[in-house]
Amino acid sequence: MKSFSFLSLLLGASAIMIAAEHPVTDPQIAAIVVAANQVDIDAGRFAAEKSRNTEVKRFAETMITDHAAVNKSAVDLVTKLKVSPEENETSRALKAGGEKNLTALRGLEGSEFDKAYIDHEVAYHEQALDAVLIPNAQNRELKGLLVKVRPAFVAHLEHARHLRASLR
Amino acid sequence: MNLRAKISFLVSAVLLTALTFVGLLRASAAGSTRTYTVVIEAMKFAPDIVRIKPEDRVRFENRGILPHTATAKGPKAFDSGLIKPGESWTSQPVGNAATIQYVCLYHPTMEGRIVVERP
């Protein structure tokens, strides 16, 4: 099961590396943002239901609320800009990584589940808003939204790290 | 209008003005309530420390894109509930001197403090 988690992380990391090697367009960034948020919403929903740890459940609920809010802002913006999200290697890889993570989590229970979920959340939020998406965004408003969202991802990462330490 | 009516009108106007003035003075002497604004943006409360008088209020204004709360525990507890992006919530006057720590329930890294000082 640990190998599944590792594989899902690898897929996620590869997704960002693919984007780093090939410049991404605004429609592709839109698809990546929506995919990235949806992956964390799905993981959050699963964890909120399965975990018996109050703090892990609360974290999962925050992920659902926050990533849904970011997705709403992103969808509202691309609708306004008449930009159609364009699926690409990175968005597909993120989704595949998300599915692998859920498959791994389904096989775990109790504290093992909590640790695996939070470990994945730490790694997931360490990924590259800074390295790829923000530098590549061409549209000023899209770039502005990504910059505005960045503190939330930093806070999520800090929260996840704190939780991971408490679960050890 | 004859002269008597004019004088009556003038006296009434002067009396009304004087009474209004006295009323305003009394209100200001009692201490006017102020509302201080704390902006919620970029995962922070700004300013993170606000100093107020016991009769003052604090207005939390969410200018970010995520929902937050402003929640304080203890004897001076308050809870804004969910403050959605673009919305705000105002606290009630505390009533006496105190230091109140508050957090966002969704984002525990977000903290602030209200210092209620005696006049």
Side-chain angles (χ1 to χ4, degrees):
Chain A
M1 290 305 169
K2 282 189 180 170
S3 63
F4 271 120
S5 258
F6 177 71
L7 184 58
S8 71
L9 282 174
L10 196 61
L11 277 168
S14 300
I16 300 302
M17 283 171 62
I18 289 167
E21 286 167 10
H22 302 98
V24 283
T25 64
D26 284 352
Q28 290 170 336
I29 288 174
I32 291 168
V33 167
V34 169
N37 282 312
Q38 194 59 51
V39 161
D40 219 36
I41 290 166
D42 292 344
R45 281 183 181 146
F46 189 62
E49 195 180 314
K50 188 163 183 178
S51 177
R52 296 290 170 258
N53 181 301
T54 308
E55 292 304 317
V56 172
K57 286 174 92 71
R58 185 173 288 173
F59 175 85
E61 280 153 14
T62 296
M63 293 305 103
I64 297 165
T65 304
D66 285 0
H67 286 282
V70 173
N71 250 0
K72 183 181 183 311
S73 294
V75 168
D76 286 351
L77 178 60
V78 298
T79 302
K80 176 191 158 192
L81 298 175
K82 294 186 173 46
V83 170
S84 296
E86 181 187 310
E87 291 295 337
N88 51 86
E89 276 186 273
T90 303
S91 61
R92 282 189 284 270
L94 281 167
K95 288 177 185 177
E99 281 304 316
K100 290 282 182 197
N101 182 43
L102 287 178
T103 300
L105 290 175
R106 280 187 196 106
L108 300 173
E109 297 293 334
S111 60
E112 268 197 25
F113 171 87
D114 293 337
K115 284 175 193 165
Y117 168 65
I118 294 299
D119 278 347
H120 189 272
E121 287 296 303
V122 170
Y124 195 70
H125 285 89
E126 279 172 344
Q127 287 187 69
L129 202 66
D130 285 352
V132 176
L133 298 185
I134 292 174
N136 275 280
Q138 295 300 305
N139 178 274
R140 187 180 50 83
E141 286 185 74
L142 180 59
K143 191 188 281 276
L145 176 63
L146 294 171
V147 169
K148 202 168 182 178
V149 160
R150 189 182 173 279
F153 279 75
V154 172
H156 287 180
L157 178 57
E158 206 175 317
H159 189 176
R161 281 177 176 159
H162 178 79
L163 250 183
R164 183 172 64 178
S166 74
L167 290 174
R168 289 218 163 114
Chain B
M1 196 187 283
N2 60 28
L3 183 61
R4 181 177 280 182
K6 281 182 186 174
I7 291 171
S8 275
F9 177 78
L10 196 60
V11 167
S12 301
V14 169
L15 269 173
L16 185 61
T17 305
L19 281 170
T20 305
F21 184 66
V22 166
L24 283 172
L25 273 179
R26 279 190 176 166
S28 122
S32 48
T33 298
R34 286 187 63 181
T35 299
Y36 291 79
T37 297
V38 171
V39 172
I40 309 172
E41 193 169 22
M43 308 301 285
K44 286 180 187 166
F45 294 107
D48 61 347
I49 300 176
V50 61
R51 296 178 189 279
I52 66 174
K53 297 286 184 286
E55 65 271 17
D56 294 335
R57 299 167 194 264
V58 179
R59 181 168 175 270
F60 294 89
E61 191 176 302
N62 189 350
R63 293 187 199 164
I65 62 170
L66 301 182
H68 298 282
T69 77
T71 307
K73 305 233 165 96
K76 301 294 174 188
F78 62 76
D79 188 354
S80 64
L82 204 63
I83 309 173
K84 293 179 185 171
E87 294 183 354
S88 61
W89 177 84
T90 303
S91 68
Q92 293 300 309
V94 174
N96 52 16
T99 297
I100 306 166
Q101 300 273 143
Y102 64 88
V103 297
C104 170
L105 285 183
Y106 283 92
H107 309 103
T109 55
M110 290 173 63
E111 296 179 323
R113 204 183 327 159
I114 299 171
V115 180
V116 187
E117 297 170 327
R118 285 196 181 84

